[in-house]
Amino acid sequence: MTTKKTYNISETKLKRLLEYNERLQSQFELPRIPVSEASASLIEYCNATKDPLIPSIWGPVSKEEDPFAPAAGGSKGGESGCCVVM
């Protein structure tokens, strides 16, 4: 009885180790790039993409271009806002 139990525990440990090894191998095969290349790509993206939350760098943003501006229209009775509570 104890040898069978020990055998099952050993099989379980081996199965866990094999699964862990498989996960590590799949992570090892992921494509990698140097940090300098990743940071250069990030800097290029930040310089090319206009951010409406930083008007000191990009200048003021018109209401049409601002994704954070309240939606025009849709309000009733002169109320401002985007939602109506019933």
Side-chain angles (χ1 to χ4, degrees):
M1 176 99 173
T2 58
T3 58
K4 187 172 183 177
K5 185 176 180 182
T6 307
Y7 183 69
N8 285 339
I9 292 173
S10 297
E11 278 186 350
T12 306
K13 286 182 180 180
L14 176 63
K15 184 178 177 184
R16 278 193 211 140
L17 284 172
L18 290 173
E19 289 172 355
Y20 183 63
N21 189 29
E22 192 175 310
R23 283 194 306 261
L24 288 175
Q25 285 178 347
S26 67
Q27 287 180 358
F28 180 71
E29 294 169 357
L30 290 174
R32 310 238 188 253
I33 61 171
V35 173
S36 57
E37 187 178 326
S39 59
S41 173
L42 182 61
I43 290 169
E44 180 182 332
Y45 173 79
C46 290
N47 287 334
T49 306
K50 189 172 182 179
D51 189 352
L53 294 177
I54 311 176
S56 61
I57 295 175
W58 294 101
V61 180
S62 68
K63 296 242 182 215
E64 294 85 31
E65 294 177 356
D66 189 359
F68 303 105
S75 61
K76 294 182 180 179
E79 297 175 7
S80 63
C82 63
C83 303
V84 177
V85 178
M86 299 176 133

